[in-house]
Amino acid sequence: MMHYSQKVNRRRFLKWNVAALAGAVFTTGAIARGSARDRAAGAVSNSPRTSPGFYRFSAGELEITVFNDGFFDLSTIVPPDMEPLETLAVDVEEERREEYFRARLLEADDPRLLISPVLIDSGDRRVLVDTGWAMGEATPAAGRLGAALELVGVSPESIDLVVLTHAHPDHLGGLVDPDTGAPKFPNAEIVLSETEFEFWTGDAAAPALEHPLLAGIPDILNDLYDRLRLIRAGDEVAAGIESISTPGHTPGHLCISLDAGDAELLLTGDALVNIHTSFERPDWQNFFDMNGALAARSRRSLLDRAAADSMLIVGYHFPFPGIGYALRDGNAYRWNPAGTTLLS
């Protein structure tokens, strides 16, 4: 476990990150060199579809690890009569939407979303933000968090706190073993928005629960109820970790703000899902947002804050490791990956 005796100022912090992000902590080849036991178990593989991975950096006295839980193809969660890319801009005229995607080389018939839980290690407390998606028939390339934790020598029993941005299966699915239902983080308190819990365990969620990928959410939440701490949007999660109200994607969606001394980190959950549309066209509505108009307002407010405060953003579904900044660009924003920021 790493300890840091000095806080870094903003300039030193940013310079460290630019240098660190210029090189990968683990390449696919390095990840594949797991133990013989891991390889025999299939936990670690040479295939980029199955290799777990991580990216680690320091922020003040904190150690931050972004994990690669895998990915899922967008087609696995869209209606059969909808093109996957259409879901990113359902309120936009088809010709305009297609022109926008072509200009950004987003022409894949079936784009994929990466899944990136984040571990915050202060030296005396480990906080995991979101837990990835349990491996299953619909998500054969996801569910790698357990192998990635083993790769960095972090046992599930050592996790003290799990924070859920919301209760969609790609965020809470890693909480339990899909075969046995046993908790994967047996010693962790679980933090969730009170609004989110009440929605998914109440009558209002019934239409959403007809989708087979969502049907198990209430059971997971109810089974873990004794370990849940329900908070209100804006509450402090733990020392230096605050929740940010970002409803719309789900009724109780939260983003997470992390105070790292002279720098502030933003963990996005699904308030921002695409490095193009979410920044450049924040008002475009996403099919997966339960309230598209409200989600757009939350997204713009979040980006206002992120840009004004130069927050270091970690995007849950961005190209791995998904670390960068929101820069103002006219009436919208643009994504600037860490490592390309110019410093004077």
Side-chain angles (χ1 to χ4, degrees), residues 226-248:
D226 289 345
R227 295 169 52 209
L228 284 177
R229 171 159 57 96
L230 302 179
I231 64 172
R232 296 186 177 183
D235 284 354
E236 184 179 65
V237 174
I241 304 175
E242 293 187 356
S243 61
I244 303 173
S245 177
T246 47

Side-chain angles (χ1 to χ4, degrees), residues 143-165:
R144 313 296 169 181
L145 177 60
L149 285 167
E150 185 176 352
L151 197 64
V152 299
V154 173
S155 70
E157 292 79 12
S158 73
I159 303 297
D160 302 296
L161 184 67
V162 171
V163 183
L164 299 176
T165 58

Side-chain angles (χ1 to χ4, degrees), residues 175-240:
L175 275 176
V176 297
D177 186 299
D179 297 322
T180 67
K184 286 190 175 181
F185 307 101
N187 299 319
E189 180 183 40
I190 302 165
V191 173
L192 178 69
S193 157
E194 182 179 47
T195 300
E196 189 77 356
F197 177 83
E198 291 177 349
F199 171 77
W200 288 107
T201 58
D203 294 339
L209 297 177
E210 293 179 4
H211 195 297
L213 292 178
L214 305 180
I217 294 173
D219 288 341
I220 292 176
L221 294 178
N222 284 319
D223 288 347
L224 296 173
Y225 181 76
D226 289 345
R227 295 169 52 209
L228 284 177
R229 171 159 57 96
L230 302 179
I231 64 172
R232 296 186 177 183
D235 284 354
E236 184 179 65
V237 174

Side-chain angles (χ1 to χ4, degrees), residues 26 28-40 43-46 52 150-151:
F26 272 88
T28 300
I31 293 169
R33 292 193 295 270
S35 68
R37 183 190 63 184
D38 289 337
R39 290 194 297 272
V44 180
S45 163
N46 286 321
E150 185 176 352
L151 197 64

